[in-house]
Amino acid sequence: VISNPFTVPAIDEQQVFGFTYTTTTDDGCGDAATLSFTVFESSDAGTGATFQVCEDGAAVDLFTILGGSPDSNGTWSGPEGYTTTSNDGSINPTTAVSGDYVYSIAANGACDAVSATISVTIVPVSNAGNDVDTFVCAGDYTTSLFGLLSDDAQLTGEFINIDTSETIVD
Protein backbone atom coordinates (compact mmCIF):
# COMPACT_ATOMS: atom_id res chain seq x y z
CA VAL A 1 0.00 0.00 0.00
CA ILE A 2 1.34 3.40 -1.02
CA SER A 3 0.65 6.68 0.75
CA ASN A 4 -1.13 9.35 -1.18
CA PRO A 5 0.15 11.76 -2.33
CA PHE A 6 2.88 9.73 -4.00
CA THR A 7 6.34 11.33 -3.88
CA VAL A 8 8.15 10.84 -7.17
CA PRO A 9 11.74 9.71 -6.44
CA ALA A 10 14.83 11.07 -8.16
CA ILE A 11 15.42 9.08 -11.33
CA ASP A 12 17.87 8.82 -14.22
CA GLU A 13 16.50 9.07 -17.77
CA GLN A 14 12.90 7.78 -17.39
CA GLN A 15 10.96 5.31 -15.32
CA VAL A 16 7.43 3.88 -15.55
CA PHE A 17 5.31 3.66 -12.41
CA GLY A 18 2.19 1.50 -12.16
CA PHE A 19 -0.42 1.36 -9.41
CA THR A 20 -3.65 -0.48 -8.89
CA TYR A 21 -6.41 1.30 -7.02
CA THR A 22 -8.97 -0.98 -5.44
CA THR A 23 -12.17 -0.22 -3.62
CA THR A 24 -14.82 -2.36 -1.95
CA THR A 25 -18.33 -1.44 -0.81
CA ASP A 26 -19.75 -2.39 2.58
CA ASP A 27 -21.60 -5.18 0.76
CA GLY A 28 -18.36 -6.69 -0.59
CA CYS A 29 -18.63 -5.44 -4.17
CA GLY A 30 -15.29 -4.32 -5.50
CA ASP A 31 -13.66 -2.58 -8.41
CA ALA A 32 -10.10 -1.78 -9.49
CA ALA A 33 -8.41 0.78 -11.73
CA THR A 34 -4.84 0.67 -13.00
CA LEU A 35 -2.80 3.86 -13.03
CA SER A 36 0.35 3.99 -15.12
CA PHE A 37 2.61 6.96 -15.81
CA THR A 38 6.11 7.65 -17.03
CA VAL A 39 8.38 10.03 -15.13
CA PHE A 40 11.07 11.74 -17.21
CA GLU A 41 14.31 13.03 -15.75
CA SER A 42 14.27 16.82 -15.55
CA SER A 43 17.01 18.59 -17.44
CA ASP A 44 19.23 21.18 -15.76
CA ALA A 45 20.86 23.90 -17.88
CA GLY A 46 22.50 25.44 -14.83
CA THR A 47 22.22 29.10 -13.99
CA GLY A 48 23.28 32.03 -16.11
CA ALA A 49 25.86 34.66 -15.30
CA THR A 50 27.59 37.73 -16.62
CA PHE A 51 31.18 37.44 -17.75
CA GLN A 52 33.83 39.89 -18.94
CA VAL A 53 36.99 39.02 -20.81
CA CYS A 54 39.66 41.18 -22.46
CA GLU A 55 39.70 40.94 -26.24
CA ASP A 56 43.30 39.71 -26.09
CA GLY A 57 42.48 37.04 -23.47
CA ALA A 58 42.68 33.26 -23.82
CA ALA A 59 39.81 31.17 -25.19
CA VAL A 60 37.05 30.47 -22.66
CA ASP A 61 34.64 27.52 -22.36
CA LEU A 62 31.34 29.14 -21.34
CA PHE A 63 30.10 25.80 -19.92
CA THR A 64 32.56 26.25 -17.03
CA ILE A 65 30.93 29.60 -16.18
CA LEU A 66 27.41 28.21 -15.80
CA GLY A 67 26.32 28.03 -12.18
CA GLY A 68 24.71 25.06 -10.49
CA SER A 69 25.06 21.55 -11.88
CA PRO A 70 24.25 21.79 -15.59
CA ASP A 71 23.68 18.64 -17.60
CA SER A 72 26.22 18.11 -20.38
CA ASN A 73 23.77 17.23 -23.16
CA GLY A 74 23.01 20.77 -24.35
CA THR A 75 24.13 23.07 -27.15
CA TRP A 76 25.09 26.73 -27.42
CA SER A 77 23.84 29.60 -29.55
CA GLY A 78 24.86 33.22 -29.55
CA PRO A 79 25.42 36.44 -31.44
CA GLU A 80 26.23 36.53 -35.14
CA GLY A 81 25.17 32.91 -35.71
CA TYR A 82 27.40 31.34 -33.06
CA THR A 83 26.33 27.70 -32.49
CA THR A 84 27.76 24.45 -31.15
CA THR A 85 26.55 20.88 -31.31
CA SER A 86 27.87 20.01 -27.85
CA ASN A 87 28.16 21.52 -24.39
CA ASP A 88 31.60 22.93 -25.30
CA GLY A 89 30.85 26.63 -25.58
CA SER A 90 34.38 27.77 -26.36
CA ILE A 91 34.79 31.33 -27.55
CA ASN A 92 37.94 33.15 -28.58
CA PRO A 93 37.80 36.76 -27.34
CA THR A 94 39.92 37.97 -30.26
CA THR A 95 37.13 36.98 -32.69
CA ALA A 96 34.01 36.66 -30.51
CA VAL A 97 31.52 39.47 -29.97
CA SER A 98 29.74 40.72 -26.87
CA GLY A 99 26.21 39.47 -26.31
CA ASP A 100 24.06 36.73 -24.84
CA TYR A 101 25.26 33.14 -25.29
CA VAL A 102 22.48 30.65 -24.51
CA TYR A 103 22.99 27.06 -23.34
CA SER A 104 19.89 25.01 -24.25
CA ILE A 105 18.73 21.48 -23.53
CA ALA A 106 15.84 20.16 -25.62
CA ALA A 107 12.53 19.01 -24.16
CA ASN A 108 12.56 15.51 -22.68
CA GLY A 109 9.26 13.65 -22.86
CA ALA A 110 6.84 15.66 -20.73
CA CYS A 111 9.58 17.99 -19.45
CA ASP A 112 10.04 21.39 -21.09
CA ALA A 113 13.22 22.59 -22.75
CA VAL A 114 15.51 24.53 -20.40
CA SER A 115 18.18 27.16 -20.97
CA ALA A 116 20.66 29.42 -19.20
CA THR A 117 22.22 32.62 -20.53
CA ILE A 118 25.78 33.87 -20.14
CA SER A 119 25.96 37.60 -20.94
CA VAL A 120 29.47 38.11 -22.32
CA THR A 121 31.21 41.45 -22.59
CA ILE A 122 34.38 41.52 -24.68
CA VAL A 123 36.40 44.41 -23.24
CA PRO A 124 38.64 46.26 -25.70
CA VAL A 125 42.30 46.40 -24.77
CA SER A 126 43.50 49.84 -23.74
CA ASN A 127 46.34 51.48 -25.64
CA ALA A 128 49.29 52.91 -23.68
CA GLY A 129 51.06 53.86 -26.89
CA ASN A 130 54.50 52.83 -28.08
CA ASP A 131 57.61 52.51 -25.94
CA VAL A 132 59.71 55.68 -26.00
CA ASP A 133 63.38 56.19 -25.29
CA THR A 134 64.31 59.88 -25.44
CA PHE A 135 66.62 62.48 -23.96
CA VAL A 136 65.84 65.71 -22.14
CA CYS A 137 68.12 68.48 -21.01
CA ALA A 138 68.48 69.05 -17.26
CA GLY A 139 67.83 72.75 -17.79
CA ASP A 140 64.28 72.06 -18.97
CA TYR A 141 63.25 71.41 -15.32
CA THR A 142 59.87 69.84 -16.15
CA THR A 143 58.80 67.61 -18.98
CA SER A 144 55.23 66.62 -19.78
CA LEU A 145 55.23 62.84 -19.86
CA PHE A 146 51.96 62.89 -21.84
CA GLY A 147 53.83 64.79 -24.55
CA LEU A 148 56.20 61.84 -24.92
CA LEU A 149 53.42 59.32 -25.60
CA SER A 150 52.60 58.33 -29.18
CA ASP A 151 49.61 60.06 -30.76
CA ASP A 152 47.32 57.01 -30.52
CA ALA A 153 47.83 56.49 -26.75
CA GLN A 154 44.83 56.73 -24.43
CA LEU A 155 45.39 59.48 -21.89
CA THR A 156 43.41 57.86 -19.06
CA GLY A 157 46.26 55.88 -17.49
CA GLU A 158 48.82 56.69 -14.84
CA PHE A 159 52.59 57.01 -14.79
CA ILE A 160 54.55 54.87 -12.32
CA ASN A 161 58.20 55.55 -11.54
CA ILE A 162 60.08 52.34 -12.41
CA ASP A 163 62.76 52.98 -9.75
CA THR A 164 60.41 53.69 -6.82
CA SER A 165 57.10 52.06 -7.92
CA GLU A 166 55.37 55.29 -6.92
CA THR A 167 52.59 56.83 -8.96
CA ILE A 168 53.47 60.21 -10.43
CA VAL A 169 50.74 62.75 -9.66
CA ASP A 170 49.97 65.66 -12.02
Side-chain angles (χ1 to χ4, degrees), residues 5 9 14 18 24 29-30 33 35-36 38 42-43 46 61 73 81 83-85 125-126 130 147 149 151 165:
Q14 70 185 41
T24 308
C29 297
L35 305 173
S36 177
T38 303
S42 297
S43 296
D61 181 1
N73 60 328
T83 60
T84 68
T85 57
V125 176
S126 60
N130 298 323
L149 295 174
D151 291 338
S165 299

Side-chain angles (χ1 to χ4, degrees), residues 92-108:
N92 184 340
T94 61
T95 57
V97 296
S98 296
D100 288 341
Y101 290 79
V102 180
Y103 182 65
S104 302
I105 300 175
N108 176 16

Side-chain angles (χ1 to χ4, degrees), residues 2 11 14 26 35 54 58 92 99 116 133 136-137 150 161-162 168:
I2 303 213
I11 60 157
Q14 70 185 41
D26 290 338
L35 305 173
C54 292
N92 184 340
D133 188 12
V136 295
C137 189
S150 56
N161 185 321
I162 295 172
I168 298 173

Side-chain angles (χ1 to χ4, degrees), residues 1-120:
V1 175
I2 303 213
S3 347
N4 191 29
F6 172 67
T7 302
V8 178
I11 60 157
D12 289 328
E13 297 182 18
Q14 70 185 41
Q15 185 173 344
V16 176
F17 290 88
F19 301 97
T20 300
Y21 174 71
T22 59
T23 184
T24 308
T25 66
D26 290 338
D27 298 329
C29 297
D31 195 15
T34 301
L35 305 173
S36 177
F37 59 94
T38 303
V39 175
F40 293 89
E41 178 181 15
S42 297
S43 296
D44 185 354
T47 56
T50 57
F51 180 72
Q52 289 186 338
V53 62
C54 292
E55 71 181 346
D56 65 347
V60 176
D61 181 1
L62 297 175
F63 186 79
T64 64
I65 299 169
L66 290 169
S69 301
D71 295 334
S72 62
N73 60 328
T75 60
W76 288 92
S77 61
E80 296 187 355
Y82 175 84
T83 60
T84 68
T85 57
S86 72
N87 70 329
D88 179 10
S90 292
I91 60 168
N92 184 340
T94 61
T95 57
V97 296
S98 296
D100 288 341
Y101 290 79
V102 180
Y103 182 65
S104 302
I105 300 175
N108 176 16
C111 301
D112 293 335
V114 293
S115 65
T117 301
I118 303 290
S119 294
V120 175

